[in-house]
Amino acid sequence: MKPLRFVVIGLGGYGLVHMDAVKWLAEAGLGRLVGVIALEADRGQRPDLVQSLVKQEVLLYTSFEHFSETGLSTADVLTVPIGINMHVPTSVAGMRAGLHVYCEKPVAATVQEVDQLIA
């Protein structure tokens, strides 16, 4: 089986947890981190991590839109460890782009948003 290619949103909080999970998958030969979507401000707070990612040839994107415009073909899976208010629109955009999406819980703030995600 070919390892799944992951893009994680964020350089902090649960984004770091997701990167650790992908590292575990990489050690098992099941996945690899190919990209991280991170704001410039977040990059400035973790320059050592950014440098490490660059050395690993992990692509860095400044926004989801930047990733959508230039990096969709590099990924199979998008992980969405971001604010609850952004879970549904980001997950829907990822799925519409043909990616598998792993979204943090709760998946949404309302039942209506969950219905939107299911649709």
Side-chain angles (χ1 to χ4, degrees):
M1 181 170 104
K2 188 176 177 182
L4 292 172
R5 302 167 299 166
F6 285 81
V7 170
V8 174
I9 300 177
L11 280 177
Y14 285 109
L16 297 174
V17 174
H18 284 221
M19 283 189 269
D20 283 344
V22 175
K23 182 178 178 182
W24 179 85
L25 290 170
E27 290 169 358
L30 300 172
R32 64 186 176 101
L33 183 64
V34 297
V36 174
I37 300 169
L39 300 172
E40 290 293 335
D42 293 335
R43 292 179 196 199
Q45 293 178 357
R46 292 186 169 79
D48 293 341
L49 177 56
V50 169
Q51 187 177 19
S52 173
L53 292 169
V54 169
K55 283 182 183 178
Q56 297 171 56
E57 298 182 358
V58 173
L59 300 172
L60 297 173
Y61 303 98
T62 57
S63 65
F64 181 80
E65 291 75 20
H66 179 215
F67 166 66
S68 294
E69 292 168 1
T70 63
L72 281 176
S73 65
T74 68
D76 303 305
V77 181
L78 174 70
T79 75
V80 185
I82 57 179
I84 297 167
N85 64 314
M86 294 303 297
H87 282 184
V88 171
T90 304
S91 296
V92 167
M95 288 186 286
R96 285 190 176 145
L99 299 170
H100 299 277
V101 175
Y102 177 82
C103 186
E104 281 289 311
K105 63 180 174 111
V107 70
T110 67
V111 172
Q112 292 81 5
E113 287 177 315
V114 173
D115 290 340
Q116 179 185 0
L117 186 60
I118 291 168

